Amino acid sequence: MKIFSLTSKVILLALITAGLGACYDQEDPLDDLIDRSGNFYPEIANIRTLENQGLTVDFSAGGTVFLEMQYWSIDPIDEVNVYDIIGSDTSLISNTPYEPAFSQRSGTDTLVFDYTVPMLPVDTRITLLFEVVNQNTLSYARGYSFNIE
């Protein structure tokens, strides 16, 4: 005499699997992008040089580095700040109110920034820190580093 038919076993196995799956606490991928008040952080997708756009990028002292930052935010953006970090010194070198500059190609806003490399010794490390600040005061920063050639 069979206690459970094959169909009953399949249903029982599905119920057990669903029950165990309900206990699994998945990590929320938005945790890094939102705070618990419901406000969203901005995001910087990419920072790259513009050599492939025909601009000369010169990392030597006195040269010019052309960079493009691709960024976006769900909440309204207030401003974009750029800092240079040389050794232990950090200086605000640009503060720009937000101006929409949507790129169909990348699906993000873009900011083209040119930086004149200071007259410092070869191999000095410089980090350009791009910070996007939302109107809700949440911000996100990402750096681009290079050594003077």
Side-chain angles (χ1 to χ4, degrees):
M1 174 175 178
K2 291 183 176 179
I3 298 177
F4 293 108
S5 68
L6 181 60
T7 305
S8 298
K9 289 179 183 177
V10 169
I11 291 172
L12 181 61
L13 181 61
L15 288 173
I16 290 171
T17 303
L20 291 175
C23 296
Y24 177 68
D25 186 24
Q26 290 185 330
E27 201 173 299
D28 186 355
L30 293 179
D31 275 346
D32 292 338
L33 298 176
I34 64 171
D35 70 3
R36 291 299 165 200
S37 68
N39 293 319
F40 290 83
Y41 284 89
E43 181 64 36
I44 298 173
N46 192 26
I47 300 170
R48 65 187 181 115
T49 62
L50 291 175
E51 292 167 312
N52 64 346
Q53 302 293 322
L55 296 171
T56 301
V57 176
D58 182 0
F59 293 107
S60 64
T64 303
V65 178
F66 292 94
L67 297 170
E68 177 187 60
M69 176 183 65
Q70 300 168 335
Y71 63 105
W72 59 275
S73 181
I74 293 172
D75 288 342
I77 297 171
D78 184 38
E79 63 187 2
V80 177
N81 298 313
V82 182
Y83 302 85
D84 69 357
I85 303 169
I86 303 170
S88 61
D89 294 329
T90 301
S91 301
L92 176 66
I93 56 173
S94 175
N95 170 264
T96 308
Y98 173 67
E99 292 182 30
F102 187 76
S103 165
Q104 287 290 114
R105 181 182 53 80
S106 66
T108 62
D109 276 318
T110 58
L111 173 71
V112 174
F113 184 78
D114 60 291
Y115 176 74
T116 302
V117 180
M119 301 301 285
L120 294 170
V122 171
D123 289 332
T124 300
R125 184 85 167 156
I126 296 176
T127 298
L128 297 175
L129 186 68
F130 291 80
E131 177 189 42
V132 178
V133 182
N134 278 352
Q135 290 176 2
N136 62 19
T137 70
L138 297 177
S139 65
Y140 181 74
R142 185 171 173 186
Y144 179 87
S145 297
F146 64 92
N147 290 334
I148 295 178
E149 296 177 348

